Amino acid sequence: MLLTVNGTPVFVHTGGRDVDLSRPAVVLIHGAGMDHSVWSLQSRYLAHHGRSVLAVDLPGHGRSGGAPLDSIAAMADWVAALLDAAGLERAALIGHSMGALVALDTAARHGSRVEAVALLGVAERMPVHPDLLAAARDGDPSAIEMVIGWGHGPRGHGGGQGGGCPTPGLALIPGGRRLMAAVKPGVLGVDLAACNDYGNGADAARALACPALFLLGALDKMTPAKAGRALAARAASAQVVVVPQTGHMVMTEAPDATLDALAAFLSLRRG
Amino acid sequence: MAGAKFLKFDTQSLHAGQRPDPATGARAVPIHLTSSYVFSDVDQAAALFNLERPGHIYSRISNPTVAVLEERLATLEGGVGAVCTASGQAALTLAIMTLMGAGGHIVASSSIYGGSRNLLAYTLPRFGITTSFVHPRDLDGLRAAIRPETRLVFGEVLGNPGLEVLDVPKVAAIAHEAGVPLLIDSTFTTPYLCRPFEHGADLVMHSCTKWLGGHGTAIGGVVIDGGRFDWEASGKFPTLTEPYAGYHGIDFAEEYGPAAFIMRARAEGLRDFGACMSPMNAFQILQGVETLPLRMKGHIHNTRKVVGFLEGELYSDKGGKPGAAAGAVAWVSYPELVDHPDHALASRLLPRGAGSIISFGIRGTGEGGSREAGRRFIEALTLFSHLANVGDAKSLVIHPASTTHAQLDAEALAASGVGEDMIRLSIGLEDCDDLIDDLKQALRAATKG
Ligand SMILES: Cc1ncc(COP(=O)(O)O)c(C=O)c1O
């Protein structure tokens, strides 16, 4: 589905069912240099479990127009504008990595619009190594290699107790690599700089007034579970789920655990 | 910041897609001989059927043993996903059926496996899909053969049986100019020798029956999705970019991004056409893939030695001095030879070796000419087995004009680069001195006749 947000066309994947304003809505927000397709299983599941689903392509990403937004706050304001454009008063927000910061910051800036937040692969700060920032800014392919390499746990890399993509026949690391390679030049650099510059995580977590789920990969090297727990501890009431044998790409490495946690958190029922 | 680390090819040949079985600790991949899988509850069942949760429903669509092989082969090729099939032929059929319907057109190299040629030239036209064949070295001809209704360009890295090397980067560029993907049959090279996605190909298929399995035990195929072709931008592939009623209006490109093709190939092609690989065969082929790097090194080592021997047989004077009388061998074709027309291309695309197939011409001296000499040669061999296969650990031999390409008329035979005197060797892993001794005595027997 295409919406117009702040004058720019925005693509929203709805999980195989049209948005129905009588159902509670969920907005899924992808991470740096990615798009709505990282949520393929979750968006279909949510859409068939009572929710209207808006898995967005952030500006400049995937099928959306416009330029990438250069701060988490700007992305948070954009999410509020998206809700306006879709005719939604409130929605639950599910975000991964950069998208988790966006969900958190939207709850801080537009609390009345946010029913709940589920934050995957999240930490109070997401400092990005200067080498990675520079490579991403210059469009150097090594940036994608770093994100994909550090981003995946054993389900992607194989070896040890890992190995074995949950979806039969797919391979997570080549899949992630191709997804990121398809993003327009320069977008990853803007995204990573926005993550690096974000400093409002602690305050935003303290101010959380809605239910919050922190869904963390036990083997996450980018936003270690310890950092995710520390952020959750700042929130008045947060539920923490740490998924074993899982890296930063929680929803693709561990889709069943992700769905189970979301189903419990949002009290989902088929329908 | 340290660069990210990834497991390397040889390690992935052993580990990709697998972990010790969580239920039993089994280190080897268990053979899951089950048709179906118990649902944990009604909601999980519904979610599996609606592609909301990952997992297995019925072994025609996916199976845990087969899935290990699929992920391993996808990883070795650098593709986003794979579907294993009952045979190499089924892999090609599945790729085509996923991309097009009646009215679709294919541009194919004329130098391909005889069975593939049969499918394209004689069988698919019955279903409204036609093919134009172009010599793999004729890039202008290839460009000219592409029509508005063309949906696929298809070729083999190493032509069959002429051993022409396909200029994959250039052919990919020509296909992409026309908004069409390039499918490479990479059976003869395996990902150990060539990874076509790195050269611009969009889809790769193999007959796993050959070097991947490597022991001549199991028939199987695979189609692998490189995940780079932009189906949406091309606009020519409604199967991937428009709602599919067979799954409640799913749009595969929207839903799966880079994995659109391979998801449709499974969700529609395996489900409906049903040419799945059995878990027994997947297990056999996995045993082969585990030693693929080792075996390919051995194949290449022996092949180079045998090529050297055959070259020495071009002249009766074993020093091979120009002007010496003709030997038992009329010509030798192997892409690493400097007089092979694709020598330079082979050294770029296939730096680890140009495969383990050698073609050569046997010189017909007595009555019956080269055809009769070929017959005597093949019958005199003792280690080389005369059969219709390639890529076994054991050395194999065939006379294409009377077997694999027998259904082609003289013109098509010539177009496929098959002469009546052509002998094709598939070099195995025996001690190469024994192979050379066998060839030596059989050449003697052939020319004595
Ligand atoms: C290059 C090539 N492609 C495809 C095939 C077909 O594979 P299968 O026999 O597994 O169906 C073969 C078999 O000889 C082959 O050599």
Side-chain angles (χ1 to χ4, degrees), chain A residues 105-177:
Chain A
D105 211 51
T106 308
R109 297 166 74 87
H110 306 277
S112 66
R113 313 294 299 272
V114 181
E115 175 205 330
V117 290
L119 310 178
L120 287 69
V122 70
E124 183 176 313
R125 310 255 348 187
M126 291 190 196
V128 180
H129 193 282
D131 292 353
L132 174 53
L133 268 183
R137 190 190 53 228
D138 300 343
D140 186 321
S142 70
I144 293 177
E145 293 303 295
M146 284 187 250
V147 173
I148 292 303
W150 291 109
H152 283 92
R155 278 297 175 106
H157 282 284
Q161 295 301 310
C165 176
T167 303
L170 296 189
L172 287 169
I173 284 187
R177 192 178 270 145

Side-chain angles (χ1 to χ4, degrees), chain A residues 13 36 155 162 165 178 256, chain B residues 19 50 52-53 71 226 254:
Chain A
H13 174 66
H36 71 274
R155 278 297 175 106
C165 176
R178 288 290 186 259
D256 273 322
Chain B
R19 60 197 149 124
N50 195 37
E52 300 163 19
R53 281 188 186 267
E71 187 175 345
E254 175 179 331

Side-chain angles (χ1 to χ4, degrees), chain B residues 87-90 113 116 156 160 185 187-188 205 207-210 219-220 389-390:
Chain B
S87 65
Q89 285 297 105
Y113 169 57
S116 306
E156 299 180 7
N160 189 344
D185 179 339
T187 300
F188 275 38
M205 61 151 284
S207 166
C208 304
T209 316
K210 310 295 170 349
I219 301 281
N389 193 21
V390 289

